[in-house]
């Protein structure tokens, strides 16, 4: 039996949604790691010329942020997964207890998408005969029951990406001479934020101009605020 033809560059599998989810979580984690750690180290660097307090503050911020991001993603995605499982269980019960009503409902969904009543009924009957559960989940819920969201994947991706993002401002503030470390960090962070904004826009299928501008301006404001506070308190 031949398989349906698909474009090589257009994956038509449920795993695509999961991949995009953890990629977005990774990009957001990296962005948060860059901004939050940059704010911490720039603020401390404005208050002291000694490297050790900057290093300690940066490491503490990195560790706390990575754990917080991982826990946040795990809780959020676990809640989503629980909701998906609850919806799947409800759909199974309805198919078991009310198969005729469910068939009518499926036909109605396809009529609503533009098919004639006869064609919609035929499509609903053929899909039900093939796999009633997957047909109803796809039409009513819009996700693949075999590809539920993965909280561990999202948490790991977020924690790792946050750590990698946080290392950039930490290295940028510690490596250069004291006299230029803040300007170097500003430039390096803004370039990195522009890159994460561009990647995020591409993953979302939108134009990169505004997303890049938003994250760059936001990061610049965060560093200016913490630098001003550190300078005043120091």
């Amino acid at each position: 039996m031949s398989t349906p033809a698909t474009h090589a560059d257009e994956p038509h599998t449920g795993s695509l949604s999961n991949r995009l989810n953890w990629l977005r979580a990774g990009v957001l984690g990296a962005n948060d790691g860059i901004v939050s750690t940059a704010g911490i180290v720039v603020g401390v660097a404005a208050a002291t010329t000694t490297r050790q307090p900057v290093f300690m503050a940066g490491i503490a911020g990195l560790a706390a942020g990575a754990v917080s991001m991982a826990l946040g993603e795990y809780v959020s995605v676990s809640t989503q997964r629980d909701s998906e499982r609850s919806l799947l269980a409800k759909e199974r019960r309805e198919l078991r207890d009310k198969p005729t009503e469910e068939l009518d409902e499926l036909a109605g969904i396809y009529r609503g998408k533009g098919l004639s009543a006869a064609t919609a009924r035929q499509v609903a009957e053929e899909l039900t005969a093939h796999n009633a559960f997957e047909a109803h989940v796809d039409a009513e819920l819009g996700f693949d029951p075999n590809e539920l969201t993965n909280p561990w994947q999202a948490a790991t991706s977020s924690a790792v990406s946050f750590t990698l993002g946080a290392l950039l401002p930490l290295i940028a503030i510690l490596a250069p001479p004291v006299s230029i470390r803040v300007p170097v960090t500003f430039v390096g962070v803004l370039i990195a934020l522009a890159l994460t904004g561009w990647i995020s826009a591409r993953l979302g299928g939108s134009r990169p101009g505004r997303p890049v501008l938003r994250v760059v301006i936001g990061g610049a404001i965060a560093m200016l605020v913490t630098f001003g506070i550190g300078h005043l308190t120091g």
Side-chain angles (χ1 to χ4, degrees), residues 102-111 115 117-132 135-136:
E102 285 296 294
L103 179 61
D104 293 338
E105 182 182 18
L106 188 60
I109 291 173
Y110 287 112
R111 283 200 306 273
L115 297 180
T119 302
R121 186 74 182 186
Q122 181 181 356
V123 169
E125 290 176 350
E126 290 186 9
L127 289 175
T128 298
H130 176 67
N131 191 317
H136 281 265

Side-chain angles (χ1 to χ4, degrees), residues 93-174:
R93 288 195 302 271
E94 291 176 346
L95 285 169
R96 181 193 64 209
D97 299 337
K98 301 181 294 182
T100 302
E101 290 86 341
E102 285 296 294
L103 179 61
D104 293 338
E105 182 182 18
L106 188 60
I109 291 173
Y110 287 112
R111 283 200 306 273
K113 292 183 178 182
L115 297 180
S116 66
T119 302
R121 186 74 182 186
Q122 181 181 356
V123 169
E125 290 176 350
E126 290 186 9
L127 289 175
T128 298
H130 176 67
N131 191 317
F133 178 66
E134 289 188 3
H136 281 265
V137 170
D138 178 65
E140 296 180 37
L141 306 180
F143 60 84
D144 187 341
N146 300 313
E147 294 288 347
L148 300 184
T149 51
N150 189 326
W152 287 107
Q153 189 180 60
T156 302
S157 173
S158 187
V160 171
S161 60
F162 184 98
T163 301
L164 294 176
L167 287 174
L168 186 145
L170 187 58
I171 294 172
I173 203 76
L174 294 173

Side-chain angles (χ1 to χ4, degrees), residues 72-87:
E73 282 291 332
Y74 180 80
V75 170
S76 174
V77 177
S78 292
T79 301
Q80 180 183 347
R81 188 182 181 92
D82 291 342
S83 298
E84 291 172 346
R85 286 174 170 170
S86 176
L87 290 170

Side-chain angles (χ1 to χ4, degrees), residues 9-57:
D9 58 346
E10 291 184 16
H12 294 276
T13 63
S15 61
L16 176 61
S17 176
N18 261 344
R19 288 200 299 270
L20 289 178
N21 282 336
W22 71 257
L23 281 172
R24 288 193 185 98
V27 172
L28 291 174
N31 185 80
D32 287 347
I34 294 168
V35 174
S36 60
T37 307
I40 291 172
V41 297
V42 166
V44 177
T48 178
T49 57
T50 308
R51 293 181 186 274
Q52 186 177 8
V54 177
F55 174 75
M56 292 175 63

